[in-house]
Amino acid sequence: MRNIKNLQIKNKLKNLLNDASFKIPQDIIDAVRKARQLEENDRAAAILDMILENSLIAANQSLPLCQDCGSVYIDIGLGPDICIDGGPGFLKDEINKTVAEVYKNQYLRTSIVADPLFERKNTGNNTPAIINVDFKKEDGLSIDVSLKGGGSENCSWLFMLNPSVEKDAITDMVLKLVRENASKACPPIIVGIGLGSTASEVLKLARKAVFRNLDPVNPDLRYSALEKELLTKINKTGVGPQGLGGNTTALACNIEFAPCHMATLPFAVMFGCHSTRRASASL
């Protein structure tokens, strides 16, 4: 059994929050560069150039990639060999303290309100973070940080479909959502789709799909083929970068799926903006 101290986790988390706030992941940079080479619309190409320029300035000067510094998602994976000082409850408090410290010290905009309906008073430190702790088979502890702005978060949908629904109907639904909403999420977007599990869990699958690295191919050939088909059709909608036209409406379409009840077909869609921010590390 390996003991990991909270200070180790806090220090690693600080680095990840900084990286996610100031650096677009390389796979997304590569996708934008590839889209720029293929883009035929001059205005769209200019916007993609500005996205790449913004990413360089943010990284070099430690400036936020976007003025909306996002809700903080933190996913902790615990291996069978790990023991954490103080236990998970203590860790949760320390994670929120770390988030508050980073947002204050790095002058990141705080966006979280304590009450969703009545007072809507800002908590002042961008907490609480959305923290998930899961158990994994591999040894060690993993930390995944994901930052999601309000524009892309507003582009999230849950549907409980009839189990008889076929692929073409799902494709049509996704394309309709893109046509009507992609411009609200600062395209080029990343489309994340969740299928299966339950109503409460399928949105987690969609979020996982949004923040999935763009390079690995979906291991299930059926779903990888559907991802490619959807991405091609999405980019033919003509929405384009920032919704101003072009061939680059989305950088990727990722699908995550899970078993579900035979009487259900949960289906969720989430958009990530061109500044989809994430960082990961292991201890």
Side-chain angles (χ1 to χ4, degrees), residues 69-264:
C69 296
S71 300
V72 179
Y73 289 88
I74 298 175
D75 297 288
I76 305 289
L78 291 177
D81 63 326
I82 296 299
C83 177
I84 299 174
D85 279 355
F90 182 71
L91 177 61
K92 181 179 178 180
D93 291 338
E94 292 302 301
I95 286 174
N96 277 313
K97 289 178 183 177
T98 304
V99 170
E101 181 181 335
V102 170
Y103 271 70
K104 177 183 178 181
N105 292 344
Q106 299 296 347
Y107 304 101
L108 301 173
R109 194 187 85 180
T110 59
S111 304
I112 305 303
V113 295
D115 174 76
L117 182 60
F118 295 106
E119 192 174 4
R120 291 190 67 85
K121 182 179 179 181
N122 198 301
T123 63
N125 57 17
N126 219 61
T127 67
I130 299 93
I131 303 168
N132 294 287
V133 179
D134 200 4
F135 301 101
K136 59 178 188 173
K137 295 179 180 179
E138 302 82 10
D139 287 346
L141 181 145
S142 62
I143 308 173
D144 297 305
V145 170
S146 310
L147 308 180
K148 206 163 192 303
S152 63
E153 188 74 2
N154 283 335
C155 294
S156 307
W157 300 271
L158 166 66
F159 305 93
M160 298 302 292
L161 303 180
N162 190 305
S164 64
V165 165
E166 297 183 352
K167 177 176 73 73
D168 288 346
I170 287 176
T171 299
D172 290 343
M173 291 177 70
V174 172
L175 293 175
K176 184 174 187 292
L177 291 173
V178 168
R179 291 190 191 98
E180 294 178 355
N181 301 281
S183 60
K184 303 172 186 176
C186 295
I189 58 175
I190 296 170
V191 179
I193 296 172
L195 284 165
S197 194
T198 63
S200 62
E201 294 298 314
V202 73
L203 283 163
K204 293 182 181 179
L205 291 175
R207 179 174 71 86
K208 181 180 178 181
V210 163
F211 287 103
R212 197 177 84 197
N213 189 291
L214 306 188
D215 292 332
V217 176
N218 195 313
D220 190 299
L221 295 179
R222 301 165 301 170
Y223 287 95
S224 64
L226 181 55
E227 289 173 348
K228 293 177 182 176
E229 177 186 338
L230 278 166
L231 181 60
T232 298
K233 290 181 177 179
I234 288 168
N235 283 330
K236 287 182 178 179
T237 61
V239 174
Q242 296 302 308
L244 298 175
N247 306 326
T248 315
T249 300
L251 300 174
C253 179
N254 296 333
I255 301 172
E256 296 289 332
F257 68 96
C260 64
H261 191 285
M262 64 181 182
T264 71

